[in-house]
């Protein structure tokens, strides 16, 4: 079993220890080993090895007989790992050496032929790319689910009015459906970025070998094709030293996590007793051990926080990569933990957010009541002065400001002023002005493309549904 240290009598590593007289210091073994985290790449590693082996057979670089043994042996290794019958040992450093070492135990010397025309450098780049490619596809699927939840809620709330804010001050009335669709747009861009990055990622490094390519007559187009890559990478040095694909994945995840954190923050605010715009379901909240009345939006808070962790992963890998000379350096082994962790945190976030959006109930009355202060239809009044009285907008803005001051003094909203009172500020104002001062008329009037009017929102919902891929 791989548990027995696969070392020469001197203690040197049997896979690369030919020129070594002694084994590594204990601390060296510890700092060098990546098996604790890269063992999750076993599927990709075996998939890549099988593709490489098939190509070696076809190119007659190894015999069909040895190749067949290798392929069968690799399947067995995979089965053992999946059955939990596999022993890991830090002396074998990483998943690549574990797989090869166990293969040797199973099939003997033929296993040694698998590493012909290959290095762990192109091997790890291939494995990691395969993993990131899968993770991108899963991320895309998860975001599609979140978009569906948003569109469904938006459709149900196309007519629900709440204050729209700038500077978190009441600005203009908007519809809740419109607000939710703003997030739909963000996640659409995130998914576009993902797809775009995936396209760039989709070139196969296998066959770049250690850094310079190989003298064996390999067929890199075949291995690329069998691993579903668009093409082989064009430069062997770049192939083994590139981690852009992980950086791009983390960049997309960071931007998207930032969007999630903004929605999470709004959910925290909306669900507070002071706002009371929404109620979160029991499924996504917790109680307090001391304050029985509490319903804490923990899932939203954690979604807000995970962005920090994901951005941290991006920052960490950028710093690892900066200044590294070509080609591979062991620094690059530090690419994995943060990426795995970020992908995990991301998946949790999106799943929790999808659940929260789907389950939240909307307090239409509280939303509407909250529009009844803050002179939220002041812009509509100014627009009326422009449209009906032909005033330049700047003057209309000034007149409206005076009317707001008057209402504030009187302690009412704009529609609480009488026509006489309004006319003390601007004599030409007529009764017709009151038709634009309600929040309903305000939102209904905002029919410009992409605007907040319920009919626009329903049109946007329809378009969104057809845009979700
Ligand atoms: N475990 C290594 C990594 O993750 C594999 C590549 C090792 N290559 C080498 N030349 N030591 O980067």
């Amino acid at each position: 079993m791989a548990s027995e240290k696969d070392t020469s009598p001197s203690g040197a590593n049997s896979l690369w220890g030919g020129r070594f007289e002694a084994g590594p210091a204990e601390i060296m073994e510890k700092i060098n080993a990546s098996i604790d985290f890269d063992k999750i790449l076993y599927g990709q590693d075996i998939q890549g090895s099988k593709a490489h082996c098939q190509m070696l057979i076809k190119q007659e670089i190894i015999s069909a007989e040895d190749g067949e043994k290798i392929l069968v042996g690799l399947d067995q290794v995979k089965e053992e790992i999946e059955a939990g019958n596999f022993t890991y040992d830090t002396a074998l450093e990483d998943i690549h050496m574990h797989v090869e070492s166990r293969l040797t135990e199973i099939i003997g010397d033929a296993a040694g032929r698998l590493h012909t025309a290959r290095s762990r450098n192109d091997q790890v780049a291939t494995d990691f790319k395969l993993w990131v490619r899968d993770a991108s596809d899963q991320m895309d699927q998860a975001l599609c689910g979140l978009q569906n939840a948003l569109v469904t809620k938006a459709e149900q709330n196309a007519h629900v009015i709440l204050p729209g804010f700038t500077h978190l001050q009441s600005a203009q009335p908007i519809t809740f459906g419109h607000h939710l669709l703003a997030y739909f747009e963000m996640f659409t861009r995130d998914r576009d970025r993902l797809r775009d990055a995936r396209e760039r990622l989709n070139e196969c490094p296998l066959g770049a070998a250690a850094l310079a390519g190989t003298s064996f007559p390999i067929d890199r187009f075949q291995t690329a094709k069998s691993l579903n890559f668009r093409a082989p990478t064009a430069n062997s040095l770049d192939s083994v030293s590139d981690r852009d694909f992980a950086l791009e994945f983390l960049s997309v995840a960071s931007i998207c996590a930032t969007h999630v954190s903004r929605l999470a923050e709004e959910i925290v605010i909306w669900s507070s007793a002071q706002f009371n715009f929404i109620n979160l379901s029991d499924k996504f909240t917790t109680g307090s051990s001391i304050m029985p009345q509490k319903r804490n939006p923990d899932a939203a808070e954690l979604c807000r926080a995970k962005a920090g962790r994901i951005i941290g992963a991006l920052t960490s890998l950028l710093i690892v990569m900066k200044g590294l000379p070509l080609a591979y350096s062991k620094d690059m082994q530090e690419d994995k933990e943060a990426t795995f962790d970020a992908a995990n945190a991301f998946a949790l976030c999106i799943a929790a957010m999808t659940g929260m959006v789907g389950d939240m109930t909307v307090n239409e009355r509280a939303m509407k009541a909250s529009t009844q202060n803050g002179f939220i239809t002041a812009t509509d009044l100014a627009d009326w002065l422009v449209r009906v009285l032909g005033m330049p907008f700047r003057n209309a803005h000034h007149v409206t400001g005076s009317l707001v001051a008057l209402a504030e003094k009187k302690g009412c909203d704009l529609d609480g002023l009488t026509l006489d009172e309004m006319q003390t500020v601007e004599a030409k104002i007529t009764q017709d002005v009151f038709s634009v001062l309600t929040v309903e008329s305000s939102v209904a009037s905002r029919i410009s493309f992409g605007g907040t009017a319920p009919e626009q929102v329903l049109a946007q919902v329809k378009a969104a549904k057809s845009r979700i891929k």
Side-chain angles (χ1 to χ4, degrees):
M1 285 300 289
S3 65
E4 288 152 37
K5 283 204 178 178
D6 204 351
T7 52
S8 74
S10 65
N13 189 298
S14 71
L15 293 180
W16 49 250
R19 62 159 295 181
F20 287 75
E21 282 176 5
E26 202 185 320
I27 197 70
M28 173 59 196
E29 192 171 304
K30 231 171 167 173
I31 193 174
N32 201 32
S34 52
I35 187 62
D36 281 350
F37 49 87
D38 69 18
K39 60 177 159 208
I40 69 166
L41 294 176
Y42 77 90
Q44 288 81 3
D45 196 65
I46 289 170
Q47 190 190 359
S49 287
K50 286 178 77 174
H52 183 66
C53 178
Q54 276 149 352
M55 182 277 293
L56 292 176
I57 300 170
K58 177 144 173 273
Q59 297 301 103
E60 298 180 354
I61 297 168
I62 65 173
S63 70
E65 196 190 328
D66 283 343
E68 198 46 45
K69 278 193 206 157
I70 291 171
L71 294 172
V72 172
L74 285 169
D75 282 336
Q76 186 180 329
V77 175
K78 187 166 180 213
E79 275 163 31
E80 289 178 5
I81 293 176
E82 285 174 352
N85 295 330
F86 196 86
T87 316
Y88 300 96
D89 177 1
T90 51
L92 285 170
E93 285 184 37
D94 56 26
I95 188 62
H96 324 295
M97 285 173 51
H98 275 78
V99 171
E100 191 181 329
S101 164
R102 180 67 190 129
L103 184 67
T104 308
E105 290 172 342
I106 298 170
I107 68 167
D109 284 347
R113 301 199 183 274
L114 173 60
H115 215 52
T116 314
R118 180 177 84 166
S119 145
R120 269 189 297 157
N121 297 348
D122 58 338
Q123 194 178 350
V124 73
T126 306
D127 293 1
F128 195 30
K129 265 195 173 181
L130 289 171
W131 190 90
V132 171
R133 192 173 70 182
D134 280 350
S136 301
D137 292 345
Q138 282 161 19
M139 193 188 261
D140 190 56
Q141 271 309 303
L143 286 173
C144 177
L146 177 52
Q147 284 189 313
N148 274 314
L150 286 165
V151 169
T152 303
K153 268 280 144 80
E155 188 166 29
Q156 292 160 355
N157 292 280
H159 297 81
V160 173
I161 298 174
L162 77 164
F165 299 102
T166 59
H167 314 268
L168 201 58
Q169 307 285 324
S170 289
Q172 293 175 349
I174 56 168
T175 48
F176 193 52
H178 191 224
H179 196 117
L180 293 175
L181 288 181
Y183 285 99
F184 175 87
E185 294 301 321
M186 297 178 222
F187 297 126
T188 300
R189 290 193 295 274
D190 292 329
R191 294 183 67 197
D192 282 351
R193 273 184 277 270
L194 259 185
R195 238 172 257 144
D196 187 51
R198 188 194 196 280
E199 190 56 24
R200 251 188 311 282
L201 164 151
N202 210 18
E203 293 181 349
C204 185
L206 196 59
L211 73 164
T214 176
S215 57
F216 290 98
I218 60 172
D219 181 353
R220 293 193 58 209
F221 289 86
Q222 185 193 324
T223 41
K225 194 163 164 230
S226 67
L227 295 170
N228 286 320
F229 285 107
R230 175 167 33 83
T233 48
N235 180 294
S236 62
L237 292 171
D238 178 52
S239 309
V240 294
S241 51
D242 167 42
R243 290 296 180 272
D244 289 3
F245 61 90
L247 289 170
E248 285 200 80
F249 172 74
L250 292 172
S251 306
V252 177
S254 294
I255 295 173
C256 185
T258 303
H259 297 148
V260 172
S261 80
R262 295 179 76 171
L263 179 52
E265 165 68 355
E266 302 214 272
I267 288 175
V268 169
I269 294 175
W270 293 338
S271 64
S272 67
Q274 287 68 21
F275 270 76
N276 192 31
F277 282 6
I278 59 165
N279 284 99
L280 292 172
S281 76
D282 289 353
K283 286 196 261 170
F284 293 98
T285 47
T286 62
S288 157
S289 52
I290 177 166
M291 297 164 283
Q293 86 283 11
K294 299 234 7 201
R295 177 196 284 282
N296 293 327
D298 293 35
E301 293 167 284
L302 288 164
C303 284
R304 188 171 60 184
K306 297 272 186 213
R309 188 167 173 149
I310 293 166
I311 295 164
L314 170 63
T315 311
S316 132
L317 185 55
L318 281 169
I319 296 172
V320 166
M321 295 307 295
K322 78 163 277 299
L324 280 189
L326 300 187
Y328 177 85
S329 295
K330 197 63 173 255
D331 307 51
M332 290 164 68
Q333 180 165 284
E334 290 288 314
D335 57 2
K336 292 174 207 63
E337 276 172 292
T339 307
F340 296 159
D341 180 73
N344 197 25
F346 187 86
L348 268 173
C349 262
I350 301 300
M353 187 50 87
T354 306
M356 274 187 286
V357 170
D359 280 10
M360 67 167 70
T361 55
V362 174
N363 301 333
E364 205 172 326
R365 249 201 271 154
M367 285 188 177
K368 170 94 185 281
S370 161
T371 63
Q372 306 300 308
N373 49 45
F375 312 107
I376 202 162
T377 53
T379 316
D380 300 271
L381 173 51
D383 287 349
W384 184 89
L385 295 170
V386 170
R387 204 173 46 245
V388 180
L389 302 187
M391 260 185 210
F393 184 77
R394 282 290 154 225
N395 300 14
H397 185 283
H398 191 79
V399 168
T400 307
S402 306
L403 289 166
V404 165
L406 192 64
E408 199 166 30
K409 218 183 282 166
K410 191 179 165 190
C412 64
D413 211 341
L414 284 169
D415 59 0
L417 292 172
T418 64
L419 183 59
D420 285 347
E421 284 165 337
M422 289 209 188
Q423 286 172 342
T424 64
V425 176
E426 170 51 60
K428 294 202 212 88
I429 293 178
T430 65
Q431 186 66 33
D432 181 57
V433 76
F434 291 98
S435 70
V436 300
L437 295 182
T438 66
V439 289
E440 286 80 4
S441 62
S442 173
V443 296
S445 73
R446 294 209 153 64
I447 50 168
S448 52
F449 181 77
T452 203
E455 61 177 279
Q456 260 300 320
V457 173
L458 290 173
Q460 289 161 27
V461 162
K462 200 165 159 225
K465 282 183 183 168
S466 72
R467 281 161 68 202
I468 298 179
K469 279 162 254 158

